[in-house]
Every structure is written in structure tokens, then in C-alpha cells.
Amino acid sequence: MQPSGRRQEDGSRTRFLRYEGDKTNMKHLKWLPMLALGAALMPHAQAADPGKVLRVAFSAPETGFDMVKVHDVYSMAVGENIFDGLLTYDYLARPLKVVPNTASAMPEVSADGKVFTFKVKPGIYFADDPVFKGKKRELTAADYAYTFKRFADPLNNAPSGASYTDFITGLEEAGKVAAKTGKFDYDAPISGLQVLDRYTLRIVLKKPNFGFLYTIAAKDSGAVAREVIEAYAKDTLSHPVGTGPFMLKEWKPGSRIVLVANPGFRKTVFDGLPGSEPGDAEIYQALKGKTLPQVGRVEIRIIEEDQPRWLSFMNRQLDWIVVPKSAMKSALNINPTDPYDTTLRPVLAKRNIRLSHTLGLDVTYAYFNLKDPVIGGYRKEKVALRRAIALAYPLKKEVIPLLYGNQAIPLQGLVPMGMVGFDPHFQGQVGYDPATANALLDEFGYKIGPDGYRTQPNGKPLVIEQGTQSSALDKQFNEIWQKAFDSIKIRVRFKTAKWNENLKAAYAYKLQMWSLGGSASTPDGDDFVSSFSSRLIGQGNLAGYQVAAYDKLYDASQILPDGEERLALYGKMNRLVAAQQPYVLGVTRFYNELTQGYVSGFKRHPISTFGGFWRYVDVASH
């Protein structure tokens, strides 16, 4: 895959943000020389220092730790530290680089790009669990075959299942059989998942996928042991057992999560590439030659309100934090005309607090439930209703300055800036125009009744119910939404629940409208355009968008490499979705992350979650 890029000029400095996979990923690769190690010879790390504790906080609750079943960043932050994929990303390398993890080398790839052969390193073991009855359980190729099959099992309702079932030969068909019989046959052979021997897995694709290595490197691809899943079948979310650097020690849902270093984790010494961005040299020197993980314990608190989370950091009860909106003025110097120009205030710098300021690979948006009888559907009057709501949303006027502190840029389309597939020439934002919104509603029969609010074209009451949460920031969002709806004379009712409860309701299409965000799990725009594929209804397609023309474009884009032809298809998908307005586009956010002065080795990775740095950082005495 060819690298794509963004160049940002700000007068005093030039920033480059580019992404690339291993450039040889679609070529025939030779095996790299390796020493054949028996299982007993694989070295293991000494347990990390239990006295070194990393303390972090989430702003919303997790949903569980079965990576096939979950897709929220909080759960995945924990899961990516428990489970191990065949491939991963180099921590510091920019452009992003896919590297072996449990695989002994990058895979051998056939000339047509459809056959990938992986070798699993011998001597990697799952963390101890009663299921194993006191015996060490080695990771094998069969564990990855089993894990990938789970994405097709209808009972798991995998949010990212299509990333596997759309490509691996026979996997989609096995899922369809299971949907009819009510049970997935994990023992039935699947031609696209071939376990050649204990450590060799061959994956055969039914069509080219130039980003398949990104799928294998994704956070949800970590191997599970079949006997663990079957033993805890009634509650796999609570019993994560992997081969990664940490183990789940304690979990009080929505309150507290504790991880401890896995004493059986294989010896892993940092050998990544030094980055070229400011501060990378210092980070590289701090990590060079260090055995990972460095901390023996990670304590995670769920603190939904900004103020107590910020106070916890300022009182050194947290070692890392994303600066909340309420603290931006006291923590940061922000140039209101240039969101890239953001620095730490001297009062915090004197405390040796460090700032990391990066533009995320993420999106925020409000989606409409297209299955809902009031706001959904594809008839002109339904599209007009959704368009009017989007026109009433004051993104640039109020949302970005008031809620994001000018630390966000408007989202232009389905793919955020900095990713493969971003089109700088497409503009999907409808703009702020309440007058046009009202005229549109008048034209399509949404009349204003005696009470001053509009009715549906059939004369029935018109009320929009929007899902929300109870935090102070959510209440600010609700105030802006309330004014937006008032400006177009539509009643809105806010339905408050926990974030994870709203997510479950969203998957079940029980919410009429909801605002949320999404972070990239791969550097490729497919990660976002897939959210409108009809195959992901009930999974990642929260809007329930189902348009044959879009599916045709999306399917065609999947088999093309990055380039003008694929970008043209993305443009057509962008225009089609924008015309039917299943969403209100939001922003791509800047991440202002602070670490205490005694924390070393921190760098935000664009693809990793909030947990992507836990194994790398060190915490000095303080």
C-alpha cells in the first residue's frame, strides 16, 4: 500500500502525518531467518515491579473484555493489553509500521495477494487460569483459527465481523449455516483457515484485500483459548484470558479496573524504531533495551465528570489524563485561530507535567435511526427532516469553541483527515442555516401547530427523542441541541442513561438519535466507510443505513489498492450518504494528554486506544 499524507503549514514549523503498512505486504515474502526454539526454550520476562503502578481514568464506563463482542474504546483499551494479535504496530514509527507480534516474522504472501501464511512463535503461553488445571497452555495456530471463526458466529454479534467474513474464504458461509441451525460448528473445516501444523496458519481470501494486514493487526484480533471461551460461555465478557503483558485482577463494572503484569509473559525487549517527531529521541532512549511491561500494575478508575477527574490528576492521584474541556483554559495556551498552536501553561510546566498534543484519527457525529418510523426512512420528507436538524446544529459557532475549546476541526466526510481515503476536496458539512432549515420543513409539510411546535406531515405530533448521558459535558451538549431544535420548532426529549447502556440500545436500534464518536482501528478509511454497509446492520452500522447503491460502491472499493480509482469510489459513497443525511457530522478532535513528570516513555499511537502506552511507560518513585 502506498503512503498517503497530510502536510500542515503553520508558519513556524511543518508537520507531516503519513501512514503506511509494510510496503511488501502484497508481495511474495521470504521467511526471515529465525532460530527454531522449542517451547521450553522460549525465554520469559521476570514479572514487572509490582511497586510501579500506573493510574489512569476513563471518562465513560467499559462494556466488557471479550474483544470479538465489544467495540468501545474503553473496553478495548483493557483488552489490547490482555490479548495478543499475530501482528501489531511499531510504537514510535511514523509513518505507521505493521510489525510481527506473536508471529515470528511478517507473513508469506502469495503473488495474487490472497494467501497469507503466518508462523506463530513457539513457547508463548496463556496466562494461568483454573480452566487449564495447573498446566501451561501454549499459544498455537489453531487458537487464531478459532478466534477468527468467532467473528462469524451469530451469537457473538461481532461489531467488526465483516472485516473477517467479507474476505476469509468460507467464513461467511459458515456463519449463515449457524444462523439457520442456531449453533456455529467450530470443528467444521473452513477452507480459508488452514492450520498446517502446530505453529503455522494459512489464511486464504476470496478476493484481494490490500489492507488485510491492518485487520490482522487490529486490537480485536488477539487470540483466545477455546476451552476458556467454552468454560465461561455464559459470561465471556468477564473472563479475559490471553497471552498479553497484563491480566485482569479486579473489575467493578463502571467503577474500577485493575490489571497486573502477567508473570508468564514472554521476554519482550523494546526494539522499535526511533521516531522523527519532537520528543521522540528522548522517548526512544528511555525505552531502548527495556523489558516490557515496565509497570507491574495498572489501576483504572471510571470518573465520568470532568472536574473530579481533573482534580485527581492535579493532586497526583492520576498519572495520565486527557485534558477535559473545563480545564483547558487553566492548562493550555490555545491560539483561537490555529488549533495546532497549543502549548502547556508555564504553571504546569514548572511541575514537570508534560503535554502531548496530537490530532486524532477519529470522528464525532450524531446518527439518526433509519429504522425509526418518525425520523427514519428514505422518503423525501424524512430526508428533509434530518437535513433540517443538521442545518440547525451550530457546529462552528458554538460546538467547537464552547464544547471543544477550539481543539477540534470540522469533519468533512466519512473519513477523517490523515487517513487513507480522506478527500480534501469533499465537503459534507451542510453548514449552519436555521432559516433554510425552517423553509425546508415548511415545504415538506411539517406544519407549526397551535402550541408553536411542528407536527408530522400526517398531522401526528412530532417529538424527537435523543439518547444522552448525565455528565456536565453531556448537559452542555443537550443545551445546544435544545436550542437547535427550538430554532426549527421541533420538540426534543432527552433520554438519559449510562454510556455503555446507550451503546447496547444503539446496537438494538432502540434509540431514535444519539451523539457519539469513533476512533480508527486501522489507518485505512475502510474502517469508517464500512459503518454504512448493510452487512454491518446490527453491528457497526448504528444508523441502520441500507442502500444497494452504497453497498455496490463499498464492495468495489474493498478490492482496490489505495489510489485515484478507490478515492473516486469513496467520493461517490460520501455524496450518496450526505444526500440521505443519516448523520450530523461533528469533528475530528485534538488530544491534549498530560503525564506527570515521573512518567517516561509516553507517546500517543494513532491506532491504539487509551491503553496503547501502558506496557511501554515507566513510573519513577514519587
Side-chain angles (χ1 to χ4, degrees), residues 491-511:
R491 290 188 184 275
V492 62
R493 180 168 60 234
F494 297 101
K495 184 179 180 181
T496 303
K498 291 283 189 180
W499 186 89
N500 53 347
E501 294 172 0
N502 276 332
L503 184 63
K504 292 177 183 178
Y507 282 131
Y509 299 98
K510 293 181 179 179
L511 297 180

Side-chain angles (χ1 to χ4, degrees), residues 378-451:
Y378 302 89
R379 297 197 308 270
K380 290 183 178 180
E381 69 272 18
K382 300 296 187 181
V383 175
L385 174 58
R386 299 194 293 268
R387 178 66 53 80
I389 294 171
L391 285 165
Y393 189 56
L395 182 70
K396 294 182 181 178
K397 181 181 178 182
E398 295 187 31
V399 176
I400 289 179
L402 298 180
L403 300 184
Y404 292 108
N406 288 316
Q407 287 295 278
I409 58 176
L411 188 64
Q412 294 179 218
L414 300 177
V415 180
M417 182 185 295
M419 293 188 70
V420 174
F422 169 72
D423 184 353
H425 305 296
F426 179 78
Q427 182 52 259
Q429 287 279 357
V430 296
Y432 176 60
D433 193 346
T436 298
N438 278 289
L440 192 62
L441 292 170
D442 291 340
E443 179 183 352
F444 283 92
Y446 293 91
K447 297 180 181 179
I448 299 176
D451 61 357

